[in-house]
Amino acid sequence: MHEVLIVDDEPVARQSLRYLIDWESYGFTVGAEAENGLRALELLKDRHFALVLTDIRMPTMDGLALIARIREFTDAYVVILSGYDDFEYARQGMKYGVKEYLLKPLDEDDLIEVLRRTAADIAENRLFKRRHRLGMSAIREQFIRKLAHGGLTRKEFDDQLALLEMEGEAERFCCLAVELDFVFGGFEAAGTVAPSERDIELKRYAVRNICEEVTAGFGFVFEEAEDRYGIVCAGDAADLTDPAVRELAGQLSRSVAAYVKETVTIGIGPIVDGFRQAAASFSAAEDALDRKFLTGCGTVLEGRDRQPGSESALRLYRGAEDGLLDAVRSGRTEEVRAQLDALWQRFRAADVPSNQAKQAALELFVQLYRIVRESGTSQAELFDQGHEDYESVMRSKTMDELLLVSARKCEDIVALLRRGRELRPNRIVEEVKRLVQEQFGGSVSLRSVAQQIYMNPKYLGKLFKSGTGMAFNDYVMQLRMEKAKELLLHSDMKVYEIAEAVGYGELDWFYKRFKAYAGISASEYRGR
């Protein structure tokens, strides 16, 4: 409801105006009254009114003096109440931006018409401001994302600094990657019920708000993917330090756990000098997140070059990495085992300590995880089993035992990739469509469908969009909305029954979705 302030020195006139019409029927409510302009200003300083109806001739401060000062406190719309003899005063009021005036005695129809025009102006003004804010936010987010991925020229960076409200040039940058563990979470493995699409959207929004609040004045947030936000921190050498970034990541993790009741896994990239190095920091932050399958959800992981490494073992591993991983991708099991045997012989020849060999094995597991993820095959079967991989590596008491653990994992990946190749993209898309058409009346989601065909949700989403030209969620909504339209026109079902039949348990949510899709409300569509 839009609140109205009535300003008139005559009590009878104020009461008459208050009860002249049913204000709420037109979206307004009388919030307060004032006997002169001075009292009206006091009220306007303390609270917001959408509309001010003011007489011209009043003691202490008249209507024109009020109108002249009103823009100091509010953007409220002003309507002048004028007698015939006050028309010249009304014209002066127009100079201060007043668009409407009403002649006394007031006519009910005239007042209603003014309220309708005013309500339309208020709505249009709010829409304009919202579009402006969203437009600026989109430009700002695009700039931050480009900063994190590289490719900005010096001129682009300098031109866009004002959008970040930076004073001068930042000396150092550090990027974080915040992964929302609940978006593509293994709910079945955890024995919990998967949240609804709307719940996930609300939680995503809440996590972003927390990221923006915690990093205010220090970092800038952008959306990298449905389950991931990026943060670019900027500052000078005194403020942007390793301890400060670690504390920031810890505060983010704790705040999400406290207020959203979910976990996020945070990857931290190294602190770099100059904006052109920000992309390297973000890449390292994303790489750090790949160790999540070993450490579990809700952890803070630092980029590789921040870790005290096992340089000799990792150097030996990286020398063999390309050939070993190529054999895994190609499904050459015997060559995989030969590559591992050769690598372990080099470990022994170099007298590599056990902790360094285990570090190299964990790095191998990270690369295997990436191969599976990039192939689009579901990781749940091999990598979503708590900390079993990490524990298997760390429990190995001999080099032979560690070799056996590593070889089994490689062989399992080869077998998994082989099964994945048997599914052709067109068959996958058709299978997804079939499942959605069967299940759209329930809680169907990309995660639930991916689980049924043993695929990675992210990869499946990209594959589906490539094959159909539309995102999975858009396809589900289109299917639901078209079915709802059919039921609205060709059935006697109540609207709430139709909402439930097409998968919307909350009627308000269905109403909003339907109007956004069809352009008119469900009731209006049925009345066609």
Side-chain angles (χ1 to χ4, degrees):
M1 286 290 174
H2 303 304
E3 282 208 326
V4 179
L5 172 62
I6 298 174
V7 189
D8 199 307
D9 61 321
E10 297 181 9
V12 174
R14 296 198 300 271
Q15 288 297 306
S16 175
L17 184 55
R18 176 185 282 272
Y19 297 109
L20 180 62
I21 62 170
D22 180 7
W23 292 86
E24 294 189 359
S25 297
Y26 306 99
F28 292 84
T29 181
V30 177
E33 300 175 9
E35 64 276 11
N36 56 57
L38 188 61
R39 174 57 182 155
L41 282 179
E42 292 174 354
L43 290 168
L44 288 165
K45 290 178 184 178
D46 292 336
R47 56 193 286 197
H48 175 74
F49 293 90
L51 175 63
V52 177
L53 297 171
T54 181
D55 191 13
I56 292 293
R57 294 181 177 179
M58 296 178 292
T60 310
M61 178 184 285
D62 65 20
L64 288 179
L66 168 64
I67 294 167
R69 292 194 58 191
I70 203 168
R71 290 294 171 255
E72 298 176 15
F73 309 103
T74 179
D75 59 354
Y77 283 73
V78 178
V79 175
I80 289 176
L81 308 177
S82 170
Y84 287 105
D85 294 338
D86 295 328
F87 183 68
E88 286 302 318
Y89 289 109
R91 289 182 58 189
Q92 292 182 47
M94 302 299 172
K95 296 178 182 179
Y96 295 111
V98 178
K99 296 182 180 179
E100 302 280 1
Y101 72 94
L102 292 170
L103 296 177
K104 291 182 177 181
L106 297 182
D107 178 80
E108 179 179 346
D109 292 336
D110 290 342
L111 176 59
I112 290 172
E113 186 58 33
V114 166
L115 291 182
R116 284 175 173 159
R117 287 198 298 267
T118 302
D121 285 347
I122 291 173
E124 183 177 354
N125 188 45
R126 286 181 176 175
L127 181 60
F128 173 80
K129 289 181 178 179
R130 183 169 180 269
R131 284 174 175 168
H132 178 71
R133 286 196 303 270
L134 290 175
M136 291 299 292
S137 296
I139 294 172
R140 174 181 172 136
E141 178 144 336
Q142 183 180 19
F143 169 56
I144 297 298
R145 186 181 293 108
K146 195 169 183 181
L147 177 61
H149 286 277
L152 278 177
T153 65
R154 176 84 249 178
K155 185 177 185 305
E156 286 176 319
F157 180 73
D158 291 338
D159 289 346
Q160 296 292 334
L161 279 180
L163 289 175
L164 299 181
E165 300 173 353
M166 289 182 181
E167 295 181 2
E169 182 181 343
E171 299 175 11
R172 313 182 85 191
F173 293 84
C174 180
C175 295
L176 284 71
V178 182
E179 188 158 288
L180 285 58
D181 299 326
F182 55 88
V183 174
F184 295 119
F187 301 103
E188 290 185 358
T192 58
V193 178
S196 67
E197 177 185 339
R198 187 184 184 192
D199 286 342
I200 287 177
E201 284 302 309
L202 291 173
K203 289 181 177 182
R204 288 180 70 249
Y205 180 74
V207 171
R208 172 152 191 162
N209 280 344
I210 289 172
C211 289
E212 291 176 342
E213 289 176 8
V214 171
T215 62
F218 188 65
F220 308 95
V221 183
F222 66 95
E223 182 173 326
E224 174 67 8
E226 186 178 353
D227 65 334
R228 187 174 294 183
Y229 291 121
I231 300 174
V232 178
C233 298
D236 56 29
D239 295 329
L240 192 58
T241 62
D242 283 340
V245 174
R246 291 189 189 104
E247 174 56 30
L248 177 72
Q251 187 179 352
L252 273 174
S253 180
R254 293 189 297 271
S255 296
V256 171
Y259 298 110
V260 188
K261 309 302 181 187
E262 294 287 357
T263 63
V264 292
T265 302
I266 302 173
I268 302 176
I271 295 174
V272 295
D273 295 321
F275 76 92
R276 289 188 175 89
Q277 299 303 315
S281 179
F282 186 65
S283 178
E286 290 202 300
D287 286 346
L289 286 179
D290 286 337
R291 297 201 305 278
K292 177 175 123 174
F293 82 93
L294 294 172
T295 62
C297 299
T299 51
V300 176
L301 305 167
E302 298 189 19
R304 180 186 296 170
D305 58 351
R306 288 170 169 261
Q307 300 297 318
S310 312
E311 287 302 328
S312 60
L314 287 178
R315 190 182 303 115
L316 290 170
Y317 162 72
R318 286 170 189 148
E321 182 180 64
D322 289 345
L324 174 57
L325 297 182
D326 183 62
V328 171
R329 290 190 182 94
S330 303
R332 303 191 299 271
T333 307
E334 292 183 3
E335 185 177 341
V336 169
R337 187 57 189 258
Q339 291 270 2
L340 285 173
D341 287 341
L343 177 59
W344 253 249
Q345 286 178 11
R346 290 193 287 273
F347 283 170
R348 292 187 179 96
D351 198 21
V352 169
S354 64
N355 66 312
Q356 291 190 11
K358 290 176 180 178
Q359 180 73 17
L362 292 176
E363 181 63 24
L364 169 62
F365 280 31
V366 169
Q367 299 306 322
L368 293 174
Y369 171 81
R370 288 176 181 167
I371 289 174
V372 173
R373 184 185 63 189
E374 291 165 4
S375 74
T377 309
S378 173
Q379 304 102 281
E381 183 177 347
L382 293 178
F383 289 107
D384 288 348
Q385 301 175 8
H387 300 167
E388 289 182 14
D389 290 317
Y390 179 81
E391 291 173 356
S392 295
V393 169
M394 300 311 291
R395 280 199 307 263
S396 298
K397 295 180 180 179
T398 66
M399 291 291 281
D400 288 340
E401 188 177 343
L402 183 61
L403 173 60
L404 181 61
V405 169
S406 302
R408 284 176 177 169
K409 179 58 68 175
C410 288
E411 290 166 3
D412 288 343
I413 299 302
V414 169
L416 183 66
L417 294 176
R418 187 177 294 120
R419 291 197 300 271
R421 292 190 190 99
E422 295 172 358
L423 287 174
R424 295 180 180 177
N426 289 340
R427 287 178 55 193
I428 293 172
V429 171
E430 291 306 314
E431 180 65 8
V432 170
K433 285 184 175 180
R434 185 187 67 78
L435 290 172
V436 172
Q437 288 166 5
E438 290 177 356
Q439 302 171 18
F440 73 87
S443 182
V444 65
S445 67
L446 183 59
R447 292 178 306 283
S448 66
V449 172
Q451 288 171 355
Q452 292 175 68
I453 59 176
Y454 306 104
M455 290 194 67
N456 176 280
K458 288 184 184 178
Y459 180 80
L460 181 59
K462 292 178 182 178
L463 186 66
F464 187 84
K465 187 169 185 178
S466 174
T468 63
M470 64 193 309
F472 175 85
N473 287 340
D474 293 339
Y475 175 75
V476 174
M477 185 178 73
Q478 181 187 73
L479 198 64
R480 286 171 165 169
M481 293 299 104
E482 291 301 324
K483 183 63 177 178
K485 290 164 81 172
E486 177 186 333
L487 293 173
L488 284 167
L489 293 179
H490 304 295
S491 80
D492 296 326
M493 295 172 67
K494 306 287 187 184
V495 175
Y496 77 87
E497 292 175 332
I498 293 174
E500 291 178 353
V502 298
Y504 290 95
E506 298 181 34
L507 186 57
D508 288 344
W509 189 240
F510 170 75
Y511 277 133
K512 290 177 182 177
R513 288 285 190 172
F514 189 89
K515 189 166 185 179
Y517 179 82
I520 58 176
S521 70
S523 300
E524 290 171 330
Y525 188 85
R526 169 164 269 177
R528 281 181 162 186

